[in-house]
Amino acid sequence: MTATAEPREPGPERIEPALSPDAAPAHAAVSDNAPDRAAPDSAAPDSADPTPTRLRGPVVREDAVQTVRLLAVAFGVTVVVTRLYLALTGYPQIGGGEYHLAHALWGGVLLLAGGVVALLWSNRWVQPATAVCAGVGSGLFVDEVGKFITRRNDYFTPLAAPIIYSTFLAVLGVVVLARHVPKGRPRELAYAAVVRLKDLADGPLRPATRTVLLRDLDALRTQPARPDLATLAGAVHPVVEAAPVQTPRDRLGGARSVLARTERVLLPRWAHRLLLAVGSAVLGLLSLVGLAVLIALLSAAPDVQIVLDDRAVAPGTRPPALVIASAGEAVVGVVLLLAALALLVGRDRAGTALCRAGLVIALAFVNVALGYLDAELVVVAVVVELLLLVATTRYRTRFLHDDA
């Protein structure tokens, strides 16, 4: 008998594992009832894949509250200054003739400039610069919202002021939400440390910056969930410890000292308290006008006529915006009068708490409806209420040791 070799398929050589004499054939060890086993080169996903998943969720910046608050202040100040300037100058038009360069265009230029600055540079001053550009630019743009929502390009449409004011409140709402975002997780700590390392690259660290940076690195080194970030923090920690530290020269220290001495002389505790009490009482009495208007609206007396911004309200009608504004003003008036009374009898903490509550109600709710009725009035009201709120907060900081 002649043995012939069958031709083999071309391909890589396969190495068969050697079997010991006692080993059974592979097919003999598999029972007919045993479940099928996946081949090593199966396309089924490996549940034990050690490759980490890339995280893409948003991380709130460490300085988000200060930056967005700066944007909100720039926005509000821009709208108030623009409206006052236009009212005092008779609403001039830049350009003349066929063209009119509306201030919304300048707002767009500032918004573009803020975006370019944020995309172009990485310095620490970029954040506040972008916030100012975005705040001023959006203020100039949104101030002309009345032209964009009406067919006749009506800058003075009643709906413009509530839209502007609601936008301002929305930005402040972002500030409040940012303050309550949980922090301390590995990603947040790593992001905060990376941002503060910019100060290390720019030169000597400030003592406060060094302290906070070391604190974040210490917290990051103890995170078992991210050993890679813990290792990074451990490597950076000695570099930060050895970095030069220099206390910056306080260029405004002299001015702050003068202001502090002036405040102590002109506004001792009794004078500051009296200022808050008088301000709360006057603003509360003015706000109680809303109670009289509300009573007149509900009574529908034919001999009572309500005139608002040179416009008479038709007898027997109850405009929803006027009802809401008058009811809110009544509540604010009662709260502010109670605050003034508490301050006069020496109940400082209760009085300032009531004052702030009344002002927050006015700023956050009542002025939205009031802006629909009288845009100029709401601008004045917002400025006065903000000044009283700042004075109240300053009183709590000075004498009640309230850092909030």
Side-chain angles (χ1 to χ4, degrees), residues 132-204:
V132 172
C133 288
V136 177
S138 58
L140 291 174
F141 177 80
V142 176
D143 181 66
E144 294 205 286
V145 67
K147 295 182 178 181
F148 308 140
I149 63 175
T150 57
R151 292 183 178 180
R152 61 185 184 276
N153 294 331
D154 188 4
Y155 177 78
F156 302 98
T157 183
L159 194 57
I163 292 176
I164 296 171
Y165 197 73
S166 298
T167 304
F168 174 71
L169 292 179
V171 177
L172 290 181
V174 173
V175 176
V176 175
L177 292 177
R179 295 182 61 180
H180 295 87
V181 172
K183 298 179 181 179
R185 291 175 294 187
R187 288 184 70 210
E188 283 82 357
L189 292 172
Y191 271 72
V194 169
V195 171
R196 289 197 175 93
L197 284 176
K198 295 180 181 181
D199 293 326
L200 181 64
D202 288 340

Side-chain angles (χ1 to χ4, degrees), residues 15 30 32 40 75 90 142 180 192 208 264 280 302 329 334 353 359 370:
I15 301 176
V30 180
D32 292 337
F75 176 92
V142 176
H180 295 87
R264 286 194 298 268
S280 300
E329 287 287 352
V334 172
L359 294 173
L370 187 61

Side-chain angles (χ1 to χ4, degrees), residues 355-366 389:
C355 184
R356 290 205 299 186
L359 294 173
V360 168
I361 294 174
L363 289 168
F365 303 105
V366 180
L389 181 61

Side-chain angles (χ1 to χ4, degrees), residues 243-337:
V245 179
Q246 181 180 4
T247 302
R249 185 175 59 182
D250 191 2
R251 295 182 176 89
L252 300 178
R256 276 196 290 264
S257 300
V258 172
L259 289 176
R261 288 195 298 268
T262 304
E263 184 183 48
R264 286 194 298 268
V265 173
L266 298 181
L267 280 180
R269 182 164 186 166
W270 66 270
H272 201 155
R273 182 194 298 119
L274 182 61
L275 175 66
L276 295 182
V278 172
S280 300
V282 172
L283 196 57
L285 290 174
L286 292 175
S287 299
L288 279 183
V289 175
L291 179 60
V293 174
L294 182 62
I295 294 175
L297 289 173
L298 296 179
S299 63
D303 56 339
V304 176
Q305 187 177 22
I306 301 174
V307 179
L308 184 65
D309 194 19
D310 298 331
R311 300 191 306 269
V313 179
T317 61
R318 297 170 183 171
L322 184 56
V323 173
I324 295 173
S326 57
E329 287 287 352
V331 173
V332 172
V334 172
V335 174
L336 290 180
L337 288 177

Side-chain angles (χ1 to χ4, degrees), residues 220-227 230:
L220 189 57
R221 287 195 300 179
T222 61
Q223 295 291 334
R226 292 296 302 272

